[in-house]
Amino acid sequence: MNRPWLLWIPLAVVAFIGGLAIYGLAVPKDDQVHSAMIGKKLPAFALPAATAGVPALSNTDMSDGKPRLLNIFASWCLPCKAEAPHLETLKAAGVEIDAIAVRDKPEDVAAFLAEFGNPFRRIGSDSEMAVQLMLGSSGVPETYVIGGDGTILFQHIGDIRAEHVPMLIEKVNAAK
């Protein structure tokens, strides 16, 4: 049987794969993770205090008319330790910061705060990661800009570095 059209199949496959490669190179890459929670109110939660001497945290605490940062961290997280001085810088600039400690023990949170400082107004303990998952957080550290009405305005994934501080101050000030 003579089927000359079968000779074109390998060429079509190669052309298709080449077209996909060219498309992948030509279209700009979007490195930003877009949270589905941006523009939505914080989910309802009431977390117990993560350690003695620091108040507990609930979603209503972040609906008092003042924009703030909500930092998700853990005492066992190395990038959380690296971002601690930058959180202190944000606090010194007048930014209010609340926090959620994920999968942590009270004594470990206390030791973390003693070693790295406490820029936080309130810290809730999310031992089951339930609130972290409701926020759409994929890991620690993550920081959210929360509007005065409890709306999530921005999500910063990863540790806060010196170059992120001015941007976060600007976003909190813009929310006023």
Side-chain angles (χ1 to χ4, degrees):
M1 229 181 270
N2 191 7
R3 297 186 183 155
W5 59 270
L6 287 175
L7 296 174
W8 291 99
I9 291 176
L11 180 62
V13 169
V14 169
F16 178 74
I17 292 171
L20 285 176
I22 291 170
Y23 175 78
L25 293 171
V27 174
K29 184 177 164 190
D30 184 8
D31 287 336
Q32 192 72 352
V33 176
H34 302 283
S35 172
M37 294 299 291
I38 302 298
K40 295 183 180 175
K41 295 273 190 182
L42 285 166
F45 66 88
L47 295 172
T51 190
V54 182
L57 180 68
S58 73
N59 64 301
T60 57
D61 296 323
M62 292 181 280
S63 300
D64 61 0
K66 297 179 198 168
R68 71 194 68 236
L69 295 179
L70 173 61
N71 182 257
I72 299 177
F73 80 102
S75 65
W76 44 263
C77 162
L78 291 177
C80 299
K81 295 174 182 180
E83 82 172 354
H86 306 299
L87 290 171
E88 290 287 350
T89 302
L90 286 161
K91 179 183 178 184
V95 176
E96 287 192 18
I97 308 170
D98 289 322
I100 296 174
V102 178
R103 291 185 296 149
D104 239 325
K105 297 177 186 168
E107 60 272 15
D108 294 337
V109 173
F112 179 90
L113 298 176
E115 183 175 352
F116 298 102
N118 181 7
F120 308 117
R121 191 178 67 110
R122 297 174 172 276
I123 306 174
S125 176
D126 190 13
S127 58
E128 301 295 321
M129 297 174 31
V131 175
Q132 181 187 19
L133 293 174
M134 285 192 299
L135 290 170
S137 171
S138 59
V140 290
E142 282 190 29
T143 304
Y144 295 85
V145 175
I146 309 297
D149 64 349
T151 300
I152 299 170
L153 303 175
F154 178 76
Q155 178 182 15
H156 176 81
I157 298 173
D159 59 318
I160 295 171
R161 299 180 183 167
E163 62 266 20
H164 302 135
V165 170
M167 176 266 301
L168 288 169
I169 291 171
E170 181 181 311
K171 289 197 177 289
V172 170
N173 287 337
K176 290 183 179 175

